[in-house]
């Protein structure tokens, strides 16, 4: 049956030669959004189209050589078009293809120099669609471009969207799926059905959908979430035509721009007990936002899982920007249900802003998984936790801490926010490399706080005296403040943040010093308020400073100079009934320590706002230091 419905699909495309279009989308952005009062305003216009592969052929060689697919003209509508008129062409560099779906897709951009303070419509028309269950005939893909300045003083960037050219739905099942969208300005994006009579503010009526306006009956669209719901009942092909619109303020009723998205839905029959299709399962979580620098090489491993034993992954339909290449689909040797595929890209300067990369897996039964996308935010660097091996570093506390230690902080390379998807801070015991404690930064608002450049977290765990531990961080524990929150890289290196737990028994056996059994420490514990906007000095350790050269942690030893901060504050607790005695005895041979070693030990942040005061620690360190200095003087 699977082979039959694919043969039928290809046959229909051959039988109607003109039915080679499979949908597309437009978007646009200003070349220099933050430069005011431009004349003309340079707009980077991007178009993406999908075609029947049997009509416009594409393979990896086509992609590597920059070969194009498609043909046709885009025309300007309205009295403010000036000399723009119609411009060639919709032929764009091929970026993706699918043998099983018989599709080729491409994306290209060009610069339009427009007058300021105008709003125009650009439209691509042609015919015909593949034979549809409802509607058909000619197509019209239309966008609205505005060169008015926004309230924030910038020129607007339109939303972007993407969808697989042909979405497969199995007859008899109900589906809900997300229409992927992203907006570099961080505007509110709403979705609506396209209209044959959309009005551009210059009193021009623009046709956004031609023969496929409202031709997907029974489907519902949530305008706020851009979620679509449909129960697949009638076998055949349906065309979907949507518009994505952005709003700078929630109270606005007129959008800043309109972005089209058109694709085909195919309902097919499959007689199989397997009802779980394949899915995208990482390594980046679906919906992740990845900050990348211009000309930075991006290599990602996309992971997919088939839903039933006996099924295999036969294809992954991708939606990717120009220049991104895909590797072969490889089955895991340890898990036969899991597959990986590499994606490699070096974004050029023209790719600044949001770039969607979407995956749609297909299994050997013909079942298609949901389209899942990752946003690559080009020219925006993701925040990273700052690493330094020096004792007075950006992490606090480090070195030796008390078993009651419960406050932790680390500086980041830029202002940070809480992640929107699960991301854990994980504590491991060094001797066994086993996880003993974890906090989900995305949901635990009681113990995890974000304060400007600082990540602060509290623990409720009794650390074992004499044991060593280390802290690891999931991908995206901190995110940037840009619209989609570019995510930090994971930290999987046990040497990034190790710490030891103070052992009072071993400490009392230090040569030349004993601790009275009558010593009692009674704390006066207070939990400092945590600021959500600025760093809170009340939870820093006295004397802890960030060195003038700090580095974001990469795990591979690379470094770059980043933010420098000096922070001082005093943490206090109350102490009562404290007694210590020192006796001189004949001592066995001990390890010889230099005075500088003792000074460095005493500089370590033993406690921050916990059950031992810095006054007691300082007194003990002075005693030790005095003993060793006296012995050194006597030997001279």
């Amino acid at each position: 049956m699977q082979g039959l419905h694919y043969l039928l699909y290809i046959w229909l495309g051959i039988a109607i030669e003109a039915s080679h279009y499979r949908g597309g989308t437009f978007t646009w952005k200003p070349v220099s959004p933050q430069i005011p009062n431009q004349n003309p305003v340079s707009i980077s216009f991007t178009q993406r189209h999908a075609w029947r592969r049997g009509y416009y052929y594409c393979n990896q060689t086509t992609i590597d050589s920059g070969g194009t697919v498609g043909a046709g003209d885009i025309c300007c509508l309205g009295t403010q078009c000036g000399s723009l008129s119609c411009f060639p062409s919709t032929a764009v560099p091929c970026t993706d293809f699918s043998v099983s779906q018989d599709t080729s897709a491409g994306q290209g951009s060009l610069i339009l120099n427009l007058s300021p303070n105008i709003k125009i419509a650009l439209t691509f028309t042609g015919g015909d669609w593949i034979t549809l269950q409802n509607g058909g005939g000619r197509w019209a893909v239309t966008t609205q471009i505005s060169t008015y300045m926004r309230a924030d003083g910038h020129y607007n960037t339109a939303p972007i969207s993407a969808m697989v050219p042909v979405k497969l739905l199995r007859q008899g099942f109900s589906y809900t799926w997300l229409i992927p969208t992203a907006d570099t300005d961080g505007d509110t994006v709403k979705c609506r059905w396209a209209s044959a009579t959309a009005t551009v503010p210059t009193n021009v009526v623009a046709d956004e959908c031609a023969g496929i306006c409202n031709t997907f009956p029974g489907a519902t669209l949530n305008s706020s979430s851009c979620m679509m719901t449909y129960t697949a009942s009638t076998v055949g092909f349906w065309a979907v035509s949507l518009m994505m619109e952005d709003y700078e303020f929630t109270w606005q009723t007129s959008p800043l721009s309109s972005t089209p998205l058109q694709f085909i839905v195919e309902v097919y029959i499959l007689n199989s007990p397997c009802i779980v299709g394949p899915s995208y399962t990482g390594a980046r979580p679906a919906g992740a936002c990845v900050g990348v620098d211009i000309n930075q090489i991006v290599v990602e491993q996309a992971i997919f899982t088939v839903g039933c034993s006996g099924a295999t992954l036969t294809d992954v339909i991708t939606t990717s920007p120009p220049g991104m290449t895909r590797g072969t689909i490889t089955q895991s040797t340890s898990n036969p249900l899991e597959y990986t595929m590499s994606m490699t890209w070096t974004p050029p300067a023209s790719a600044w802003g949001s770039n969607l990369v979407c995956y749609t897996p297909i299994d050997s039964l013909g079942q298609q998984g949901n389209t899942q996308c990752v946003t690559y935010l080009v020219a925006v660097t993701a925040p990273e936790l700052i690493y330094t091996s020096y004792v007075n570093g950006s992490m606090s506390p480090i070195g030796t801490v008390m078993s009651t230690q419960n406050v932790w902080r680390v500086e980041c390379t830029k202002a940070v926010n809480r992640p929107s998807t699960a991301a854990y801070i994980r504590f491991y015991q060094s001797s066994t490399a086993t996880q003993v404690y974890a906090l989900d930064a995305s949901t635990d608002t009681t113990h995890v706080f974000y304060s400007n450049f600082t990540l602060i977290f509290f623990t409720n765990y009794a650390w074992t005296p004499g044991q060593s531990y280390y802290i690891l961080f999931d991908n995206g524990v901190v995110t940037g403040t840009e619209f989609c929150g570019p995510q930090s890289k994971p930290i999987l290196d046990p040497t990034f943040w190790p710490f030891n737990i103070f052992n009072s028994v071993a400490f009392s056996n230090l040569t030349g010093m004993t601790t009275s059994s009558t010593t009692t420490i009674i704390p006066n514990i207070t939990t400092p308020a945590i600021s959500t906007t600025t760093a809170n000095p009340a939870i820093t350790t006295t004397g802890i400073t960030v060195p003038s050269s700090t580095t974001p942690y990469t795990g591979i030893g690379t470094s770059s100079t980043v933010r420098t901060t000096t922070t001082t504050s005093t943490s206090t607790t109350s102490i009562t009934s404290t007694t210590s005695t020192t006796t001189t005895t004949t001592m066995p041979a001990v390890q010889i320590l230099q005075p500088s070693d003792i000074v460095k030990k005493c500089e370590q942040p033993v406690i921050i706002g916990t059950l031992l005061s810095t006054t007691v620690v300082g007194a003990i360190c002075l005693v030790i230091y005095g003993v060793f200095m006296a012995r050194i003087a006597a030997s001279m």
Side-chain angles (χ1 to χ4, degrees), residues 24 90 111 185 254 328 473 578 597 614 622:
T90 56
I111 302 299
D185 298 318
S254 297
T328 58
F473 298 85
T578 301
D597 298 324
T614 52
L622 287 175

Side-chain angles (χ1 to χ4, degrees), residues 216-485:
F216 194 32
T220 59
L221 176 67
N222 186 308
S223 63
S224 298
S225 65
C226 293
M227 296 290 294
M228 182 169 284
T229 302
Y230 182 70
T231 298
S233 55
T234 304
V235 174
F237 295 90
W238 313 80
V240 182
S241 184
L242 305 175
M243 302 297 292
M244 271 56 64
E245 298 181 324
D246 55 339
Y247 297 82
E248 188 174 4
F249 304 105
T250 56
W251 48 262
Q252 286 180 320
T253 56
S254 297
L256 299 175
S257 57
S258 298
T259 295
L261 176 67
Q262 297 183 9
F263 58 95
I264 292 173
V265 169
E266 179 189 1
V267 177
Y268 68 98
I269 299 173
L270 175 62
N271 296 317
S272 170
C274 178
I275 61 173
V276 181
S279 59
Y280 169 82
T281 52
R284 294 280 186 184
C289 180
V290 184
V292 294
D293 294 329
I294 294 171
N295 295 324
Q296 172 189 341
I297 298 177
V298 177
V299 179
E300 299 285 359
Q301 291 293 327
I303 303 175
F304 308 91
T305 303
V306 294
C308 301
S309 59
T312 59
L313 188 69
T314 57
D315 196 6
V316 176
I317 304 175
T318 54
T319 300
S320 58
M324 178 171 277
T325 59
R326 55 183 281 176
T328 58
I329 300 172
T330 304
Q331 188 175 27
S332 170
T333 56
S334 58
N335 181 2
L337 299 181
E338 186 176 278
Y339 295 78
T340 60
M341 183 182 72
S342 64
M343 301 290 286
T344 304
W345 187 40
T346 303
S350 59
W352 71 266
S354 304
N355 296 264
L356 285 176
V357 178
C358 303
Y359 306 96
T360 309
I362 300 177
D363 67 17
S364 55
L365 299 174
Q367 296 183 112
Q368 186 184 84
N370 279 339
T371 299
Q372 302 286 6
C373 300
V374 173
T375 301
Y376 290 87
L377 200 55
V378 176
V380 176
T381 303
E384 303 298 343
L385 307 184
I386 297 174
Y387 168 78
T388 175
S389 58
Y390 184 61
V391 64
N392 281 349
S394 66
M395 296 96 74
S396 176
I398 57 176
T400 299
V401 302
M402 303 305 295
S403 60
T404 51
Q405 177 65 39
N406 67 346
V407 184
W408 315 80
R409 63 182 293 277
V410 58
E411 293 291 315
C412 304
T413 56
K414 59 189 297 186
V416 292
N417 279 339
R418 187 181 304 277
S420 58
T421 57
Y424 283 86
I425 303 167
R426 305 178 187 271
F427 291 79
Y428 287 78
Q429 185 170 311
S430 301
S431 59
T432 60
T434 56
Q435 180 177 302
V436 296
Y437 192 79
L439 297 166
D440 185 352
S442 67
T443 59
D444 195 340
T445 57
T446 303
H447 298 94
V448 184
F449 299 88
Y450 295 82
S451 179
N452 200 9
F453 282 68
T454 308
L455 168 63
I456 308 158
F457 46 102
F458 294 82
T459 53
N460 182 20
Y461 188 81
W463 310 105
T464 303
Q467 290 291 322
S468 296
Y469 299 85
Y470 57 88
I471 309 175
L472 302 183
F473 298 85
D474 284 3
N475 176 82
V477 162
V478 297
T479 63
T481 56
E482 293 80 9
F483 86 96
C484 67

Side-chain angles (χ1 to χ4, degrees), residues 588-602:
V590 296
Q591 179 184 4
I592 302 300
L593 299 178
Q594 299 299 321
S596 60
D597 298 324
I598 301 299
V599 172
K600 184 170 291 187
K601 293 291 184 183
C602 290

